[in-house]
Amino acid sequence: MSSTDNGGTYEGFTAEERAAMKDHAHEVKKAARRMSRADKAAEAERDVLAKIAEMQDADRVMAERVHAVVTASAPALAPKLWYGMPAYALDGKVVCFFQSAGKFKARYATLGFSDQARLDDGPMWPAAFALTEVTPEVEERIAALVKRAVG
């Protein structure tokens, strides 16, 4: 926000935003390394699982369930890190991601979908969902959304 937008001064990016940008720069550099496609995929999966393991308890439990549901429901999606978050891509483009509550000190985790997701439903549709718990019913909704997202 510029200093003219609200009469205040521009404070810059938050520490969390700067960390996410740093994570993204690291991810881009790592992806550019010369490796076989299979090696890159295996490394990306390990990176996602390691990032999930670093999360606080409630976020970690939800992220583990989301990861399991996404990978089972849409095997065409490849796990990868995206701005330091577990994400799932089709042909290298992120379709959906899990943002822990701790990532930006939010009160809930988020399951988000990019514009690559085929969730279009008229002139307006949800592209992100708040998660406070991953129940069997939530798992079913996630599975249906992910299947629809990849078409």
Side-chain angles (χ1 to χ4, degrees):
M1 181 178 299
S2 73
S3 61
T4 60
D5 288 346
N6 68 357
T9 59
Y10 177 70
E11 298 294 327
F13 295 106
T14 66
E16 293 82 8
E17 291 167 332
R18 284 191 303 277
M21 289 184 287
K22 185 177 177 181
D23 285 342
H24 183 63
H26 178 72
E27 293 154 12
V28 169
K29 286 179 186 175
K30 195 171 190 177
R33 289 194 342 226
R34 295 181 190 260
M35 303 171 103
S36 73
R37 182 176 285 206
D39 287 344
K40 281 186 181 184
E43 184 175 45
E45 172 103 21
R46 283 191 302 271
D47 290 346
V48 165
L49 294 173
K51 184 60 72 172
I52 290 170
E54 293 172 3
M55 293 178 186
Q56 297 171 354
D57 291 344
D59 284 339
R60 187 184 67 253
V61 168
M62 287 190 291
E64 288 169 346
R65 293 306 315 140
V66 168
H67 179 76
V69 171
V70 170
T71 56
S73 301
L77 292 178
K80 68 182 277 180
L81 289 178
W82 186 62
Y83 292 95
M85 296 178 282
Y88 305 87
L90 185 62
D91 298 327
K93 296 180 181 181
V94 171
V95 173
C96 62
F97 61 91
F98 177 84
Q99 179 180 301
S100 67
K103 180 76 174 168
F104 295 108
K105 300 178 183 169
R107 71 181 177 96
Y108 50 79
T110 304
L111 174 65
F113 292 87
S114 76
D115 62 336
Q116 299 298 310
R118 296 182 182 128
L119 297 176
D120 305 36
D121 185 19
M124 184 175 147
W125 60 89
F129 298 84
L131 289 173
T132 58
E133 182 180 10
V134 179
T135 64
E137 293 81 18
V138 170
E139 288 182 5
E140 287 178 24
R141 278 188 76 191
I142 292 170
L145 283 166
V146 169
K147 287 175 185 175
R148 186 170 159 209
V150 296

